[in-house]
Amino acid sequence: MKRPTMADIAREAGVSKGAVSYALNGRAGVSDETRRRILAIADQLGFRANSAARALAGAQAKVVGLALPRPPATLGVEPFFMELISGLEAELSTRSYALLLQTVPDETGEIGLYRRWWSESRVDGVLVCDLRVHDQRVTILRELGLPAVVIGPPSSAGGLASIWSDDQISMTEAVEYLVALGHRRIARVGGIPRLAHTAIRTRAFGEACERLGITEATTVSTDYTGENGAQVTRALLCRQARPTALVYDNDIMAIAGLGVAHELGLRVPADLSIVAWDDSPLCRLVGPPLTALSRDISAHGVQAARMLLSAMEGSPVEDVHDEPAHLSPRGSTAPPPQGSRP
Amino acid sequence: MKRPTMADIAREAGVSKGAVSYALNGRAGVSDETRRRILAIADQLGFRANSAARALAGAQAKVVGLALPRPPATLGVEPFFMELISGLEAELSTRSYALLLQTVPDETGEIGLYRRWWSESRVDGVLVCDLRVHDQRVTILRELGLPAVVIGPPSSAGGLASIWSDDQISMTEAVEYLVALGHRRIARVGGIPRLAHTAIRTRAFGEACERLGITEATTVSTDYTGENGAQVTRALLCRQARPTALVYDNDIMAIAGLGVAHELGLRVPADLSIVAWDDSPLCRLVGPPLTALSRDISAHGVQAARMLLSAMEGSPVEDVHDEPAHLSPRGSTAPPPQGSRP
DNA sequence: AGCTGGGGAAAAACCGCTTAAGTCGAGCCG
DNA sequence: CGGCTCGACTTAAGCGGTTTTTCCCCAGCT
């Protein structure tokens, strides 16, 4: 089977390739009459512009890239990325952009990938996630002039357009809620510490606790995996004065934590309250359903894709401040057990 | 910043573009001496062949496509795809192939996507999953001559190379295990019925039950979502003579089912045994940990990518029969409650 | 001396599309 | 009626690779 080319259409319509190009791209230079004829023929032949040729001729590749900065093994369980991807996809596909995906082992690898994508002209723009506090990637991207949108706090975006939700607000809400329930010993199972949003959450957690007079407020770091979350939870719950409430940095760890609580014979929420961050359907499916900081990640993705598309068109793009995750109280939180109240 | 091109290298080295091409691609036609010089210069300039130009010149695009045939919303929770993707990625990235991802609403959309990918020369090959019993997609792909590997049973692959694990064996193992524990009323919460592997599992479930003299063996269909799984579970457990064991077609629904059991005051495994299919880390994290049919999806992905790569090279590719999912007994299965034994 | 053969490399064609520049006839104006 | 503008196309030059063809030079043979 042979692919039809513009030359075929031109021959068929008795015009030049150039005219066909103008007609197909909706540009001036051909009469409406001719345009219609060309479009009809193109349609009938099932013509599709060869993406390589188009990209080569200086137009866009119609591809955006997303580097996934987590080891492949941990990606599977983390619903965040898949939801983000489906949001991105939803927007990109309507504009017939494709999404190029690649996992990278670390920041260096990611920078190499951007360099390669750039020098191969493989993508028109990229989305950057998991921002570090001082992130080299933004520097490189600006240097390369590769359009990019950062999914993360603008404070670390180094001038690139960014979309984020204010984790400080959400964290504060969670802590206030727990304190209002009567909790005084609250611990946090945090994510990877070098990530910018983790830092923000850690600070917010600390500040909120201090403001509310909670002196026993620990944050323990993890790598976001369920195993690690379970491990840390176990350690926390075996302490002398165990916390009465745990705040997790993602939902997977929260679910793992729930499992550990069961295992140790602690009742949730009677003996232990649990708050998850990110509210995948899973949170509603476990027993008890988890109180979670929920936000619409997929919508986040849609928005990010939109921003990137307009950045690629060259229009100046404003940082977007998406709605912060808000607390959805469910069955996993309650006042602390009697004995542990002051 | 300007991208170095082959012309730049040629000028620098005082040779022609053609010589550079030969040198870089390790083909005959240049002396070792010249080749070394060219390679050195290319390296020093950080040269990367423009992927569009390369694709245009008839070489490969170095991209493989994966259409995700599920509504974006359900993708997030389903660990299967993400694990598959990370496996694919692991293999593809070592050979510097990129993975192009797109969600499609239905089979028609997917066929359209393949057509478009083909006519745009966007991909060198595709991976097909979620096979239907009589799947149109395989016909189209053969017609287009687009290299493809089917992730699913060869019976529905219509001659395309396929990689699969024998779900019949696994299903039989699960049923035998439950029956050996003493269960007599077993129900199955199945996946989307028009998918080929679902059909295979349904048949295997029915046959195994019949062979073992289990007369009350129902299969209920779902759309694989946790919600649907919960719903169906609720209905099954409210029946007159409720089943003492449930076999789920994925892990998400199994977890949802566990939640429902808790909600109804049934103890797992004392009152109800649960078997999950696909063993994401989640299964080990809930309480009790779920007995599951586990297989290495990521390895499956690696293998699939390898097959596709060799199919794209034109070598004949044998169907691969991956190891079937095998039962990992955990805390969610036990003999049925006393009263319900015959 | 003349012919052949072959290796190393230059030259040029080509892939399919975009786009600047050029052509040509029609319409308008002074 | 000459000169101009303008719309509708055509021409042709890239884009950055690959591949085919051509060319040159020199060794080897008759």
Side-chain angles (χ1 to χ4, degrees), chain A residues 103-225:
Chain A
T103 54
V104 287
D106 52 26
E107 192 170 348
T108 319
E110 190 168 339
I111 290 174
L113 183 61
Y114 291 149
R115 284 225 146 83
R116 207 170 73 220
W117 277 350
W118 174 79
S119 53
E120 290 178 349
S121 304
R122 226 183 228 291
V123 301
D124 302 320
V126 300
L127 291 151
V128 184
C129 49
D130 274 4
L131 264 265
R132 313 305 193 289
V133 181
H134 294 291
D135 205 301
Q136 285 189 57
R137 293 174 295 172
V138 301
T139 326
I140 303 290
L141 286 170
R142 306 202 64 174
E143 201 176 303
L144 294 175
L146 196 56
V149 165
V150 163
I151 299 175
S155 52
S156 300
L160 291 179
S162 75
I163 173 168
W164 71 309
S165 54
D166 192 337
D167 287 0
Q168 173 174 7
I169 296 178
S170 314
M171 180 56 91
T172 307
E173 186 182 351
V175 173
E176 282 173 351
Y177 168 74
L178 289 173
V179 171
L181 283 177
H183 291 273
R184 290 293 173 273
R185 288 198 305 278
I186 306 177
R188 168 164 169 265
V189 180
I192 301 172
R194 66 175 181 284
L195 299 185
H197 67 267
T198 307
I200 290 178
R201 293 181 190 178
T202 303
R203 180 148 29 84
F205 180 71
E207 283 173 6
C209 287
E210 196 181 325
R211 187 163 48 76
L212 297 170
I214 306 295
T215 45
E216 301 184 57
T218 3
T219 285
V220 187
S221 298
T222 68
D223 61 2
Y224 277 122
T225 61

Side-chain angles (χ1 to χ4, degrees), chain A residues 6 17 21-22 27 47 54 57:
Chain A
M6 284 192 6
K17 282 191 334 184
S21 175
Y22 291 140
R27 299 182 33 170
F47 170 82
R54 172 172 272 166

Side-chain angles (χ1 to χ4, degrees), chain B residues 35-314:
Chain B
R35 185 186 306 274
R36 255 193 300 280
R37 191 155 43 91
I38 292 177
L39 287 177
I41 294 177
D43 200 48
Q44 178 217 323
L45 262 49
F47 171 82
R48 288 280 173 175
N50 177 312
S51 65
R54 173 173 273 164
L56 182 55
Q60 304 212 318
K62 291 277 190 175
V63 175
V64 314
L66 174 64
L68 295 174
R70 303 272 178 100
T74 74
L75 267 178
V77 260
E78 181 72 89
F80 176 85
F81 285 103
M82 213 51 191
E83 290 186 26
L84 183 70
I85 289 172
S86 63
L88 294 173
E89 252 305 316
E91 181 64 17
L92 292 175
S93 61
T94 65
R95 313 240 216 140
S96 55
Y97 271 81
L99 182 65
L100 201 54
L101 215 67
Q102 189 144 344
T103 55
V104 286
D106 51 28
E107 192 169 348
T108 320
E110 190 167 340
I111 290 175
L113 183 61
Y114 290 150
R115 284 225 147 82
R116 205 170 75 219
W117 277 350
W118 174 80
S119 52
E120 291 178 348
S121 303
R122 226 183 228 291
V123 301
D124 302 320
V126 300
L127 292 151
V128 183
C129 49
D130 274 3
L131 265 264
R132 316 301 195 289
V133 182
H134 294 291
D135 205 302
Q136 285 189 56
R137 293 173 295 173
V138 300
T139 328
I140 304 289
L141 286 169
R142 306 201 63 176
E143 201 177 304
L144 293 175
L146 195 56
V149 165
V150 163
I151 299 174
S155 51
S156 300
L160 291 179
S162 73
I163 173 167
W164 70 309
S165 55
D166 193 337
D167 286 359
Q168 174 174 6
I169 296 178
S170 314
M171 181 56 91
T172 307
E173 186 181 351
V175 172
E176 282 172 351
Y177 169 74
L178 289 172
V179 171
L181 283 176
H183 292 273
R184 291 294 173 271
R185 288 198 305 278
I186 306 177
R188 169 166 168 266
V189 180
I192 300 172
R194 66 175 183 284
L195 298 185
H197 67 267
T198 307
I200 290 178
R201 293 181 190 178
T202 303
R203 180 147 32 82
F205 180 71
E207 283 173 6
C209 286
E210 197 181 325
R211 187 163 49 76
L212 297 171
I214 305 295
T215 46
E216 302 184 57
T218 4
T219 284
V220 186
S221 298
T222 67
D223 61 3
Y224 276 122
T225 62
E227 277 99 9
N228 204 180
Q231 207 174 315
V232 165
T233 305
R234 207 167 282 122
L236 283 170
L237 294 182
C238 293
R239 285 194 184 175
Q240 197 63 25
R242 60 171 182 74
T244 59
L246 292 175
V247 181
Y248 290 85
D249 254 17
N250 72 2
D251 44 7
I252 292 298
M253 294 196 296
I255 290 170
L258 183 61
V260 170
H262 279 155
E263 175 192 313
L264 297 177
L266 294 172
R267 290 158 308 157
V268 175
D271 301 322
L272 176 72
S273 286
I274 286 182
V275 176
W277 199 303
D278 279 347
D279 188 17
S280 70
L282 285 174
C283 291
R284 252 154 296 172
L285 296 176
V286 293
L290 299 181
T291 295
L293 288 161
S294 68
R295 52 179 170 159
D296 191 339
I297 298 172
S298 167
H300 210 63
V302 170
Q303 182 69 295
R306 283 206 188 119
M307 288 173 68
L308 182 55
L309 290 171
S310 54
M312 285 169 359
E313 282 166 5

